[in-house]
Amino acid sequence: MSNDLASLSRAAKTGRWRPNRSLSKWSESAVKVLFGGFALISIATTIGIILSLVFETIEFFKQIPIGRFLFDREWTPLFNDPQYGIFVLISATVLTATIALSVSIPLGLMAAIFLSEYASPGLRRWLKPLLELLAGVPTVVYGYFALLFITPLLQNLIPGLETFNALSAGLIMGIAILPTIASLSEDAIYAVPQSLRQGAYALGAMRRETIQNVLLPAALSGIAASCILGVARAVGETMIVTIAAGQNPRPLAADFSFLDPRLAVQTMTAFIVQVSLGDTPVDSIEYKTIFAVGMTLFTMTLLLNLVSFWFVNRFREKYE
């Protein structure tokens, strides 16, 4: 082995050995084309999804004025006297997502901080996989768990709680989102260089002060990304809200009773499931409503991502 290395070294020094540059360039070009193709597939898929939503949404608005879509106070596109107030579905979606995030974000961040800064390496190796195991539970199981266990439990505590309600759906959806936020936030906090921790301790900071003033700002981009993924998951969740929250689009009311979490509601994804069951004729106006709702959902998610990017960049500049 040493003789072969010595001969290669002598050949390189004397100029007798030359790498096969043509083969190297060909392999680099092949890898570049291969990886570029994979990237183009994902881009083309995204463009295809957007175009399918845009074209069908345009057809919808050719028949239904956008003013009705934005300002009707009820959502009854499948009734004989149809109304198309999308804010009925948006309010239900925001309500369930808010309940879910009020559970998942605090618990997820506290779990991430504990795993990263307080748990021993052995305990961390056991707890993190167990926490991530929750992400593998099918959402239909979460939905029936909310309907058959959480709702009867809450009905003993909260008067007027309906069988289908936004509260139990939001609570269980928060548990379903929790592993995503906890795992990604823990990775971001754990990746902060040890020199920052040691510097804070050398200046006399306690562990709580180090976490609050050093680690969390340094890991903000990863934490914000995990929270945005949680928001997107909450807004786009389907089976939990379809099973546990019901399919009752409550009209907008001046007393904001449509935001009562004790009542049954219908989210945007639940309505898409309802229409997609096969009873609605294709190319009918009722069928095209799912594309208008899907486009609205896509726009909401896009705006959330833009706001998160602005927030992270602004906060990062503040601490640089």
Side-chain angles (χ1 to χ4, degrees):
M1 178 68 72
S2 60
N3 293 333
D4 293 339
L5 292 176
S7 61
L8 286 175
S9 178
R10 287 194 298 270
K13 289 180 180 179
T14 57
R16 295 177 182 176
W17 177 79
R18 294 285 188 274
N20 193 339
R21 297 186 181 276
S22 60
L23 180 62
S24 177
K25 290 182 179 179
W26 182 87
S27 62
E28 289 182 3
S29 300
V31 170
K32 186 184 297 184
V33 171
L34 180 64
F35 290 171
F38 291 152
L40 288 176
I41 289 174
S42 62
I43 295 173
T45 303
T46 305
I47 293 175
I49 293 172
I50 295 173
L51 291 179
S52 64
L53 289 175
V54 168
F55 290 147
E56 294 293 338
T57 303
I58 291 174
E59 293 298 322
F60 171 80
F61 284 121
K62 285 181 180 179
Q63 298 178 257
I64 303 299
I66 192 171
R68 292 186 60 187
F69 188 72
L70 296 177
F71 300 112
D72 277 359
R73 302 181 67 85
E74 296 185 27
W75 178 262
T76 55
L78 306 181
F79 289 13
N80 293 328
D81 183 20
Q83 296 192 51
Y84 301 93
I86 187 62
F87 281 106
V88 173
L89 301 184
I90 292 177
S91 63
T93 302
V94 172
L95 175 62
T96 55
T98 301
I99 296 172
L101 294 173
S102 65
V103 173
S104 60
I105 289 180
L107 293 182
L109 288 180
M110 287 189 290
I113 293 171
F114 174 78
L115 290 174
S116 176
E117 300 303 314
Y118 291 97
S120 63
L123 184 61
R124 182 176 180 269
R125 282 196 301 269
W126 282 98
L127 285 182
K128 191 172 182 181
L130 289 176
L131 181 63
E132 293 174 347
L133 187 64
L134 290 174
V137 178
T139 55
V140 65
V141 175
Y142 280 119
Y144 280 112
F145 178 72
L147 179 64
L148 301 177
F149 181 80
I150 298 299
T151 296
L153 188 65
L154 292 177
Q155 284 177 334
N156 295 327
L157 303 174
I158 302 174
L161 186 70
E162 297 182 355
T163 301
F164 299 99
N165 61 87
L167 181 59
S168 60
L171 292 176
I172 293 302
M173 188 161 58
I175 299 300
I177 298 170
L178 190 148
T180 300
I181 296 178
S183 180
L184 295 178
S185 298
E186 192 272 339
D187 290 338
I189 297 172
Y190 194 77
V192 175
Q194 288 292 333
S195 58
L196 294 180
R197 294 177 174 85
Q198 295 170 359
Y201 293 146
L203 292 174
M206 303 294 291
R207 177 174 292 184
R208 179 191 59 80
E209 296 172 332
T210 301
I211 293 171
Q212 179 179 347
N213 299 320
V214 177
L215 299 183
L216 293 183
L220 178 65
S221 59
I223 294 174
S226 68
C227 293
I228 292 301
L229 285 177
V231 172
R233 171 80 184 276
V235 171
E237 176 55 46
T238 303
M239 293 310 300
I240 295 177
V241 293
T242 301
I243 295 173
Q247 296 182 359
N248 184 13
R250 294 193 172 274
L252 300 180
D255 59 355
F256 296 98
S257 59
F258 60 93
L259 295 178
D260 191 343
R262 300 174 300 174
L263 306 179
V265 296
Q266 184 177 50
T267 64
M268 290 188 284
T269 53
F271 173 77
I272 293 174
V273 170
Q274 180 184 7
V275 177
S276 301
L277 292 177
D279 297 333
T280 305
V282 178
D283 292 332
S284 63
I285 187 61
E286 293 84 2
Y287 178 78
K288 292 176 183 178
T289 55
I290 64 175
F291 294 96
V293 173
M295 192 64 194
T296 304
L297 189 61
F298 175 81
T299 304
M300 290 174 59
T301 305
L302 178 62
L303 291 176
L304 285 172
N305 280 277
L306 293 176
V307 170
S308 69
F309 292 150
W310 171 82
F311 175 78
V312 170
N313 291 331
R314 183 180 180 87
F315 204 87
R316 183 178 298 164
E317 291 175 358
K318 179 180 178 181
Y319 279 87
E320 286 181 353

